[in-house]
Amino acid sequence: MLVPGPLVSAFIPSPSSGQLRLGPLVLNAYGLCIAVGVVAGVWLANRRWVALGGSPDTINRVATFAVPAGIVGARAYHVITDWKSFQGRWGEVFYVWKGGLGIWGGVFLGAVAAWLVARRLHLDIGALFHAAAPAVPLAQGIGRWGNWFNIELFGRPTTLPWALQVPKDKRPDGYESFATFHPTFLYEFLWNIAIVIVVVALSAWLLTRFRKGAAFALYVALYTLGRFFIERIRIDQASLIGGLRVNEWVAAIVFLCALMTLYRLRLVPSTATTPSQNPPSTPPDPSPE
């Protein structure tokens, strides 16, 4: 058993409940984290879109369709890749508030919905994804705190000062004798925030060396790179292929696809702008027909 040492006070405690009470109002903490993440992501994407010359209400209109599609896609990915855990209790497929959202399905279906709406509104799709590039990891990072409230998706046992204390009834089979585990939700939160900073810092430079949309490919490449290593230390039940978790395979494949996309979006020297030149023209943002 991992015995807490002199730094036990530094361990991260698990919440006593997955709910937040505001007077008579009881809120599901997992859902609240997702909602706060969405609001923060939409806010950041909107600021970047307006800075490119777009209309202030466009991002909200796109998010009206992209966010629900992302949630459906995230849940569908989780159910498809972990369907065995729902055998005999298929009704729980709809219990989204209990956790179980796969980011891969969420980003994919959300991006498809955003693309369709952008085409319907005759928007500059590259500029739209440029604006959304750091907004998506911001929403993901905040949403990851929902895993802390649900006491789920933690990593291997550890006695590091920032380890997560897990109650006995929440410890996986075979790990009952261990008290503290890697807080992978925290690792992913910090990695996502780092991605936000990097993408925002490089956004102007990317517009001078790549076609619009490269910022989103950069986000995907960075996220999947970190996610691969975070998956390596998780111990929650997962389907395996060739000894690796499905999410590890997905992270590696999507990482390579993101790198290839970045390569294809590069501007050749004859068409690339210089830092002293103006950025590409602002995105058209007319009202729908």
Side-chain angles (χ1 to χ4, degrees):
M1 181 177 192
L2 294 180
V3 180
L7 294 177
V8 64
S9 60
F11 287 156
I12 301 173
S14 291
S16 58
S17 171
Q19 297 178 327
L20 294 176
R21 295 182 178 274
L22 301 176
L25 186 64
V26 179
L27 301 175
N28 178 272
Y30 182 87
L32 182 61
C33 290
I34 298 295
V36 172
V38 168
V39 171
V42 170
W43 169 81
L44 179 57
N46 187 62
R47 282 181 60 90
R48 288 169 58 82
W49 177 257
V50 171
L52 288 171
S55 173
D57 67 335
T58 299
I59 295 299
N60 287 332
R61 296 167 71 183
V62 174
T64 299
F65 296 93
V67 171
I71 293 175
V72 171
R75 186 58 173 178
Y77 177 89
H78 172 74
V79 173
I80 291 172
T81 57
D82 194 28
W83 62 271
K84 291 182 180 179
S85 66
F86 292 95
Q87 287 184 312
R89 48 191 185 91
W90 291 106
E92 294 187 13
V93 164
F94 303 100
Y95 293 2
V96 179
W97 58 90
K98 290 188 176 181
L101 296 178
I103 189 61
W104 316 108
V107 172
F108 174 74
L109 202 57
V112 169
W115 178 78
L116 291 173
V117 174
R119 283 179 57 88
R120 176 68 180 87
L121 299 180
H122 305 292
L123 303 176
D124 184 328
I125 296 176
L128 179 65
F129 279 84
H130 178 85
V136 178
L138 177 62
Q140 289 176 229
I142 295 174
R144 272 302 173 192
W145 284 93
N147 298 135
W148 176 65
F149 280 103
N150 280 357
I151 316 177
E152 61 183 359
L153 306 187
F154 41 84
R156 296 192 297 262
T158 181
T159 53
L160 290 169
W162 55 84
L164 175 69
Q165 293 178 309
V166 176
K168 286 186 177 181
D169 63 326
K170 294 290 185 178
R171 299 171 193 170
D173 294 341
Y175 293 90
E176 294 86 353
S177 61
F178 298 96
T180 54
F181 300 78
H182 279 285
T184 50
F185 77 90
L186 178 61
Y187 299 161
E188 190 161 337
F189 165 75
L190 294 174
W191 183 245
N192 275 293
I193 297 304
I195 294 173
V196 173
I197 295 171
V198 170
V199 173
V200 169
L202 294 180
S203 286
W205 178 82
L206 288 168
L207 287 175
T208 68
R209 293 292 183 269
F210 296 83
R211 290 194 290 274
K212 286 174 287 186
F216 198 86
L218 176 61
Y219 140 65
V220 173
L222 291 175
Y223 175 72
T224 51
L225 177 64
R227 180 62 183 268
F228 179 85
F229 292 103
I230 291 173
E231 283 287 333
R232 298 294 294 163
I233 62 175
R234 277 174 45 170
I235 57 174
D236 51 292
Q237 184 178 359
S239 300
L240 301 177
I241 300 178
L244 294 179
R245 297 161 66 95
V246 169
N247 282 339
E248 291 177 66
W249 283 107
V250 174
I253 294 170
V254 176
F255 172 74
L256 293 176
C257 291
L259 289 185
M260 288 189 290
T261 300
L262 275 171
Y263 180 78
R264 292 177 62 86
L265 290 175
R266 76 195 190 288
L267 292 172
V268 296
S270 61
T271 60
T273 59
T274 64
S276 61
Q277 291 178 303
N278 293 325
S281 58
T282 55
D285 186 27
S287 298
E289 298 175 354

